[in-house]
Amino acid sequence: MYYETEDLVRDLAENAEGVCRAYLPAGRREGSYWIVGDLQNNPGRSLFVRLAGPASGPGAAGKFTDGATGEHGDLLDIIRARTGITRFPDLLAEARAHLGRPQPVVPDRQEPRKAKSPGGTPAAAARLFAASNPITGTLAETYLRSRGITQFGANGALRYHPKCWHREEGQTRSIPRPAMIAAVTDGAGAVQGVHRTWLAADGQGKAAVNPERRAMGHLLGNAVRLTPQDDILVIGEGIETMLSLSEAFPGLPVWAALSSGHLGAVLLPEGLKRLYIAIDRDPAGQRAAEKLSARASEVGVRVLEPRLGDFNDDLRANGKDALRQHLAGQIGPEDQHRLPS
């Protein structure tokens, strides 16, 4: 696989402009570079991809740098960011398909088996979510309550799996562990991915593993829709963060984008009048809010800021009444009627 990867990276670099036109179509060529706003394909001039240069080393073709964030990488990284593919074999398959290369031939088995969708696809994500259980009475409920959360969302987006496979970073063997499973859905409600949070045996926190959380499927543009949308919407990063807002302010429709990178790329629903962006108190959260605000220029946008690192930190440290009071000072006057009496 190592040598094939080198070949694919080289072929992608030789066709760098074609890759950019396919995966970053909001950009344009300027001299020897493809210029675009960022890896989420927003318009702008921050990220530049070198279209010509040596095959490797300084100035190599296919390398990119985002001047605003300092992110850098190659064309495989761009394809990964734009497709949401998380498994490396699936990423190579996507690159082969773009280049028109044939996929590897799998040797015939003596006993034919039923074809199976590869891991990491929306189909695999939907299978895992369907195999999971309602959250009530499970370790996932115990976990959320340990974080001060009693509101679990009205959309059934959260479920529990008692034996969800986990592979430790750098290991090849997977072990089944209990996990909270969150459905990542598109605008039509179809499951496009899942987010897994592995839990401690007693549910009083995350499992002591690396990684503690992992997503699969197509995440870009989609979200964990924790409550039904309205003409207003609150979007933030983490599941616990957004459920904390529901705890203090049940009248707010909330979605979780799962990361700052995906927060800036969430596709907003039609008919939206006002957007609230619940940020984490870090530079990545600020940048994501700026990107999403720029894309939501046709609707009213307000940013909700926590006192501490995120809104779950606020909830656990100060309680829901204090969090509600803090939010009331940031919610627009047209939505004050949604506050609990």
Side-chain angles (χ1 to χ4, degrees), residues 144 151-158 180-183 185 223-229 233-234 236-246 252-258:
L144 291 174
Q151 304 287 329
F152 309 136
N155 270 355
L158 299 181
M180 181 173 72
I181 310 296
T185 54
V224 180
R225 290 163 164 82
L226 293 164
T227 60
Q229 69 186 61
L233 180 62
V234 188
E237 295 182 37
I239 293 167
E240 298 90 341
T241 295
M242 302 314 295
L243 288 176
S244 297
L245 292 180
S246 286
L252 289 179
V254 296
W255 293 0
L258 301 177

Side-chain angles (χ1 to χ4, degrees), residues 12-22 29 31 34 50-51 75:
L12 288 170
E14 290 176 357
N15 296 275
E17 184 173 350
V19 176
C20 291
R21 290 189 182 279
R29 178 167 188 156
W34 189 265
R50 188 179 290 273
L51 302 180
L75 293 167

Side-chain angles (χ1 to χ4, degrees), residues 68-287:
T69 66
E71 292 176 280
H72 56 88
D74 60 23
L75 293 167
L76 273 180
D77 295 317
I78 289 174
I79 295 174
R80 180 190 289 114
R82 294 296 300 133
T83 61
I85 293 172
T86 56
R87 293 183 68 250
F88 194 65
D90 296 339
L91 183 63
L92 296 185
E94 175 74 14
R96 289 189 209 103
H98 174 78
L99 293 169
R101 281 190 176 196
Q103 301 296 335
V105 177
V106 179
D108 292 334
R109 298 178 181 270
Q110 288 184 343
E111 295 181 6
R113 296 184 180 181
K114 186 178 178 180
K116 201 177 171 185
S117 298
T121 63
R127 286 199 304 271
L128 176 57
F129 189 70
S132 302
N133 304 317
I135 198 171
T136 304
T138 68
L139 285 182
E141 179 180 356
T142 302
Y143 165 70
L144 291 174
R145 289 186 182 278
S146 76
R147 304 288 295 259
I149 295 167
T150 62
Q151 304 287 329
F152 309 136
N155 270 355
L158 299 181
R159 306 195 80 180
Y160 170 73
H161 199 296
K163 295 181 178 180
C164 182
W165 291 101
H166 177 275
R167 186 174 69 253
E168 194 80 15
E169 192 71 39
Q171 301 296 315
T172 58
R173 181 167 172 259
S174 295
I175 298 174
R177 299 182 183 275
M180 181 173 72
I181 310 296
V184 180
T185 54
D186 60 19
V191 175
Q192 296 295 330
V194 291
H195 183 271
R196 297 155 288 176
T197 303
W198 282 278
L199 306 174
D202 61 0
Q204 297 294 320
K206 300 184 183 73
V209 294
N210 181 29
E212 300 172 323
R213 299 172 294 181
R214 184 176 281 159
M216 63 185 287
H218 293 173
L219 309 184
L220 199 68
N222 301 315
V224 180
R225 290 163 164 82
L226 293 164
T227 60
Q229 69 186 61
D230 201 338
D231 59 352
I232 72 166
L233 180 62
V234 188
I235 302 179
E237 295 182 37
I239 293 167
E240 298 90 341
T241 295
M242 302 314 295
L243 288 176
S244 297
L245 292 180
S246 286
E247 195 69 28
F249 203 162
L252 289 179
V254 296
W255 293 0
L258 301 177
S259 72
S260 59
H262 288 103
L263 175 60
V266 170
L267 298 178
L268 300 175
E270 294 183 5
L272 193 64
K273 293 181 179 177
R274 290 177 299 283
L275 175 68
Y276 292 92
I277 305 174
I279 65 169
D280 290 357
R281 194 174 283 279
D282 57 33
Q286 295 279 358
R287 288 195 297 269

